[in-house]
Amino acid sequence: MAERRQAGGETHQAGGLTATIGDVTEPVPRTRRKRMTGKERREQLLNIGRTLFAERGLDGTSVEEIASAAGVSKPVVYEHFGGKEGLYAVVVDREFERLLRLVTEGLNSVTNYRSKLEKAALALLEYIEEHPDGFRILVRDSHGGTGTGSYASLLSEIAGEVEYILAQEFDRHGYDVKFAPLYAQSLVGMVALTGQWWLDVRKPRREDVAAHVVNLAWNGLSGLEPRPSLDPRRRRKELERAEKRAEKAAAKAEKAEGRAAAKAQRRGRRDGDFTDPSA
């Protein structure tokens, strides 16, 4: 049998028949996917659960959906959390602790009381913006499997921190300390409800929302600042502008009063010129 090679393959010739065999490509070895550790798998299930629970709630989410999204079988979910209720409880408690920590740190990071309120309001809004799924889960009605991690209990915890701060301030100014819990609940409730509203509208930006909330809480309706800001320097400038506007308005009113008085005086003299002397 004669045999000759050609570029790009082998050619075999036998009995007048020629067959060309092309280059054989070696199969690419299949890369094995790295197996997750138990800790990594747990985190994956928590992240997937948080997304599904935020969208559908506990009752609307099934173990099958969680397992399918994670690419695992149902027993893996049961192995880590005992079921969807256990997974839900861990997700809620984790978000509860995260938000409580952020707000508490905001309250304790400064000494000025207005700044405390600003930091706490901004911490809540930052959490809502950066962890919307977690916040959606927290504001749902607490489920039996969640333990203490409900939104109501979270607000109660935060109100306790605020109450302690207000009680110190009330005592320092001679106010009745027994009303500190009422004011604490009012302040926390105002910020919390505003946060729930802002979760969907997302306008204006979070810094402006915090500034306006603090404006109402700090100044009251009768003393609202026209352009509230979290920046103390901007607030001072706005206050200076407001004072100048007030001075100009007062000067303008004084001039107007002077002109009115002079006009009345001239009218009086003019009327006096026509008075009958014999009257």
Side-chain angles (χ1 to χ4, degrees):
M1 179 198 312
E3 176 181 321
R4 67 174 181 270
R5 293 181 179 273
Q6 290 183 350
E10 293 182 351
T11 300
H12 296 268
Q13 188 172 6
L17 297 177
T18 302
T20 301
I21 303 175
D23 293 335
V24 178
T25 303
E26 291 292 331
V28 178
R30 181 179 297 177
T31 56
R32 297 183 62 183
R33 188 170 56 184
K34 182 181 177 182
R35 184 182 180 87
M36 284 188 179
T37 64
K39 183 178 180 180
E40 289 171 340
R41 180 67 71 191
R42 180 181 174 86
E43 286 300 315
Q44 180 204 30
L45 291 172
L46 285 169
N47 291 332
I48 289 172
R50 182 173 58 244
T51 300
L52 292 175
F53 292 141
E55 180 182 348
R56 308 174 189 179
L58 174 62
D59 295 332
T61 304
S62 67
V63 174
E64 288 85 353
E65 290 172 319
I66 297 170
S68 176
V72 298
S73 60
K74 288 168 53 178
V76 175
V77 180
Y78 288 110
E79 177 186 347
H80 283 277
F81 300 100
K84 69 173 184 178
E85 289 80 6
L87 175 57
Y88 187 79
V90 175
V91 169
V92 172
D93 286 343
R94 176 178 287 193
E95 296 304 319
F96 177 97
E97 293 298 331
R98 189 204 306 269
L99 179 52
L100 179 61
R101 183 180 68 255
L102 289 173
V103 174
T104 303
E105 287 175 354
L107 287 170
N108 296 326
S109 63
V110 288
T111 56
N112 177 273
Y113 286 96
R114 175 164 181 156
S115 296
K116 285 179 179 291
L117 186 56
E118 290 174 345
K119 292 286 188 180
L122 194 57
L124 173 63
L125 295 171
E126 287 177 350
Y127 171 81
I128 292 172
E129 188 168 60
E130 296 173 7
H131 306 280
D133 285 348
F135 188 73
R136 285 191 175 92
I137 292 172
L138 285 178
V139 298
R140 290 181 185 274
D141 291 340
S142 178
H143 192 276
T146 65
T148 59
S150 69
Y151 194 51
S153 59
L154 171 71
L155 297 183
S156 180
E157 290 267 7
I158 296 173
E161 294 283 341
V162 175
E163 178 185 335
Y164 174 73
I165 294 170
L166 288 179
Q168 291 179 311
E169 185 71 0
F170 279 23
D171 183 64
R172 192 162 69 89
H173 286 85
Y175 301 153
D176 195 337
V177 177
K178 72 180 181 182
F179 291 111
L182 187 156
Y183 281 89
Q185 293 289 338
S186 300
L187 287 171
V188 172
M190 180 174 66
V191 177
L193 285 176
T194 302
Q196 287 182 249
W197 163 80
W198 189 71
L199 173 65
D200 295 321
V201 297
R202 297 299 181 91
K203 291 181 180 181
R205 64 194 185 98
R206 67 190 184 195
E207 290 81 7
D208 292 336
V209 174
H212 282 277
V213 168
V214 174
N215 187 23
L216 176 58
W218 189 260
N219 297 305
L221 288 173
S222 63
L224 287 178
E225 299 167 357
R227 295 181 180 86
S229 171
L230 298 180
D231 186 346
R233 292 173 296 181
R234 287 184 58 185
R235 285 204 301 271
R236 283 196 297 271
K237 289 180 180 179
E238 286 297 330
L239 180 60
E240 292 171 359
R241 293 191 188 102
E243 290 175 347
K244 290 180 180 179
R245 287 194 296 268
E247 291 174 358
K248 289 181 179 179
K252 185 176 181 180
E254 185 177 353
K255 288 181 179 179
E257 290 178 3
R259 288 195 295 269
K263 185 176 181 180
Q265 188 176 18
R266 289 195 300 271
R267 185 183 299 115
R269 287 199 302 266
R270 189 167 57 248
D271 292 343
D273 293 340
F274 292 98
T275 301
D276 186 353
S278 62

